[in-house]
Amino acid sequence: MSRLGPIYTLAVGAVMTAGLTVASATASPAIQETSASVAAGPQANTEATPEATADATPDSTQEPEEVAAPEDQDTTPKKVDYAGVVDQNGGLIAISIRNGKVVGYFCDGQIEAWLKGTAEDNTVTLEGKDTLVTAALRGGKAQGRIEFKNKSWRFSAATVKKPSGLYRATAQVRGARVVGGWIKLPNGQSVGRIMIGENAGEAAPAFDGGVQKWYGIPLTPQDPDGFIDSFLS
Amino acid sequence: MSHTQVAPQRRGAVALLVIPVLAGGLVAAALGVYGELHPPTGFAVGIAGFSGPLAMKVWLTTIAAVLAIVQVFTAFAIWGKIPVQGSWPGPVHRWSGRLAFLATVPVAFHCLYSVGARYDDPRVMFHSILGCLFYGVFVTKMLSLPKRGLPGWSLPVLGGLLFTLLIGLWLTSSFWFFTTIGIQF
C-alpha cells in the first residue's frame, strides 16, 4: 500500500469540496442576481430566468414611511391579493389581506418566510421568522421593504387575481409536518419551497396549481381564503 | 527493568497519534464553526438523477453506510478475526473506504453549505455534531494510517469510531427520511 494513499484520499475529498463550492457559488448566483425561477424541477434554481429581472418593478418604489397621514376613513382594502418581485433578491413576495388580517410569503426557492400581520391605514406590517415586511398600499400596489436576517430589499407587488397569488399546502406524515408555499405571478413566473419539519426542505417543483406530489406525499395548495384562518390561529 | 525499557517505546507510539488527533480535532471544530457561522444558502450543487437534494443525500448516505459495513467486515478479515482466502480484504477495505468517503462529500457539502449546523431539534442536533466529528475522526485515521509503530489499538478504535459515527449519521438522516417520507428516489 502506498503510504500516500490516505493522503490522496483526503486530497480528492478536498478537491471535490472545492469543486462543489465553485459550482454552487456559480450556479446559485449571488442573492442580488438571483431570479425566482420559472421552476422546471426541484433544482431549477440553477437556471436563473432573465425574465424575472426584466420584469423587476420600477424604481419608483417608495419608503413605507412616506405614507400619507391616516385619514378619517380607513380605506384599507378588505380583501385583496398582491404578488410581485423582490428587487435585487429576485424572489417573489405575496401579501393577502382579509378584513384586516394579513398573510404573506416570501420565497426565492432557497430562502423563504411565512408572514403574518395586520393592515390598517393602507399600511401592512408583517412578521415572520427573521423577517419583517412593511408596505404601503396605494394605486393597486403594495410597495415596501422586506428585511430578511441582515438583508433588506424593496419590492412592489401588484394586485393579482386567481390563479395568480399565494398558495399554501400542509400535510402530516408520520409525525412530521410538511408545508409547501408557492407564489404565482400573472406572467406565469412561479416560485415555491417545501419544508418537512423546521430544518429540511427543497425548492418546489414547477407549480401548476393542482395537487403537488412531493416524494409521494400529496400536497393540496390552498389559496388564502382556504388557509388564512388555520394559519393565523 | 522491563518497565523502563517498554515505557518510552509506548509513549513514543502514542505520541505518533498527537498530530493526527490534533488535525482531526481542528477539522471537526472548523466544520462546526463553519456550520454555525455560514449563512445557509438553501441551495447547493449536488449529484443529478434524484428528484431533489434530500433524496440525493439520503441515498448517498445509504451507499456510504452499506460500504461502511463492508469496511467492518474486511477490517475483521485483515486482522484475522474472520478467516478468508486470499489477499482481497486489504484492497477491498481501502477502496470501499475511499468510495464511502467520497459518497459522503456531496452530502456533507450540501448539509453545511445549504443548511448549516442546527441545534433546535434533537435529530438535527445529533446529526450536526456527528457529522463534524465524523470528518475529524476520518482525518485522524487517514493521517494515522501511513505511520508505523502506532499502538495496536489505534486503527481499530478509529475505524470503529468512524463506523459508529457514520451509522449514527445514517440513522439521523436517511433512516428518518425512509420512515417519515418513505422509500423515495
Side-chain angles (χ1 to χ4, degrees):
Chain A
M1 169 178 117
S2 157
R3 296 191 67 178
L4 286 176
I7 307 299
Y8 290 144
T9 305
L10 285 177
V12 170
V15 168
M16 259 177 95
T17 308
L20 287 166
T21 307
V22 170
S24 294
T26 322
S28 173
I31 206 79
Q32 286 82 357
E33 300 158 43
T34 310
S35 307
S37 57
V38 179
Q43 303 200 348
N45 293 299
T46 49
E47 301 152 23
T49 43
E51 314 93 75
T53 33
D55 280 0
T57 50
D59 290 331
S60 61
T61 317
Q62 288 182 325
E63 298 285 340
E65 288 79 10
E66 292 168 26
V67 173
E71 293 163 26
D72 293 342
Q73 183 116 24
D74 193 346
T75 55
T76 311
K78 294 281 179 249
K79 178 178 178 181
V80 66
D81 299 283
Y82 300 100
V85 179
V86 177
D87 288 356
Q88 295 183 299
N89 163 270
L92 303 186
I93 187 166
I95 297 171
S96 292
I97 303 177
R98 299 291 183 272
N99 294 317
K101 292 187 277 189
V102 192
V103 292
Y105 183 55
F106 157 67
C107 183
D108 68 358
Q110 307 163 24
I111 50 178
E112 64 156 21
W114 283 101
L115 310 158
K116 37 183 95 171
T118 52
E120 52 186 356
D121 302 329
N122 281 303
T123 305
V124 290
T125 310
L126 298 119
E127 284 184 69
K129 196 183 177 202
D130 300 325
T131 315
L132 176 67
V133 170
T134 49
L137 312 177
R138 187 169 19 189
K141 280 185 176 175
Q143 296 184 315
R145 184 174 285 281
I146 175 167
E147 286 167 44
F148 182 85
K149 293 188 178 162
N150 301 322
K151 300 197 174 72
S152 177
W153 303 292
R154 291 182 181 192
F155 66 87
S156 175
T159 312
V160 294
K161 296 266 174 254
K162 256 188 128 174
S164 299
L166 172 59
Y167 293 87
R168 177 182 166 96
T170 56
Q172 195 73 25
V173 286
R174 297 174 199 84
R177 190 168 146 83
V178 179
V179 177
W182 300 267
I183 301 170
K184 194 172 162 73
L185 295 189
N187 68 4
Q189 194 184 339
S190 74
V191 73
R193 192 163 173 87
I194 300 170
M195 296 294 290
I196 178 161
E198 295 288 313
N199 291 300
E202 312 182 326
F207 181 67
D208 56 17
V211 173
Q212 311 286 307
K213 282 257 181 181
W214 189 66
Y215 292 121
I217 302 165
L219 295 167
T220 310
Q222 292 182 295
D223 63 18
D225 288 325
F227 74 75
I228 188 166
D229 288 333
S230 58
F231 177 67
L232 293 177
S233 62
Chain B
M1 283 301 281
S2 65
H3 283 105
T4 52
Q5 283 172 337
V6 171
Q9 226 176 359
R10 275 203 185 137
R11 220 176 288 137
V14 176
L16 287 172
L17 283 170
V18 168
I19 287 174
V21 168
L22 279 180
L26 277 178
V27 166
L31 290 175
V33 168
Y34 177 83
E36 183 70 28
L37 297 184
H38 170 75
T41 62
F43 168 84
V45 164
I47 310 292
F50 298 98
S51 43
L54 286 182
M56 171 200 80
K57 294 205 283 184
V58 157
W59 286 105
L60 286 180
T61 308
T62 301
I63 289 170
V66 170
L67 289 169
I69 294 167
V70 175
Q71 287 276 289
V72 171
F73 179 77
T74 49
F76 273 111
I78 290 169
W79 289 75
K81 305 288 177 189
I82 299 174
V84 290
Q85 297 266 309
S87 59
W88 54 267
V92 170
H93 185 81
R94 284 195 288 280
W95 280 102
S96 59
R98 281 169 189 154
L99 291 176
F101 167 65
L102 295 182
T104 67
V105 170
V107 181
F109 177 78
H110 190 281
C111 288
L112 281 163
Y113 185 84
S114 171
V115 187
R118 305 232 181 137
Y119 307 99
D120 46 358
D121 140 19
R123 175 186 78 82
V124 176
M125 179 185 78
F126 283 116
H127 191 79
S128 300
I129 295 169
L130 295 178
C132 295
L133 288 176
F134 175 81
Y135 287 101
V137 177
F138 186 78
V139 166
T140 302
K141 184 165 185 233
M142 288 304 104
L143 295 182
S144 305
L145 278 172
K147 295 196 184 290
R148 297 289 171 263
L150 286 174
W153 48 262
S154 319
L155 295 181
V157 165
L158 290 170
L161 259 178
L162 275 178
F163 177 76
T164 310
L165 289 167
L166 187 61
I167 295 302
L169 285 163
W170 181 82
L171 287 170
T172 52
S173 58
S174 305
F175 182 73
W176 167 81
F177 182 94
F178 292 142
T179 52
T180 308
I181 294 182
I183 309 285
Q184 297 282 336
F185 299 88

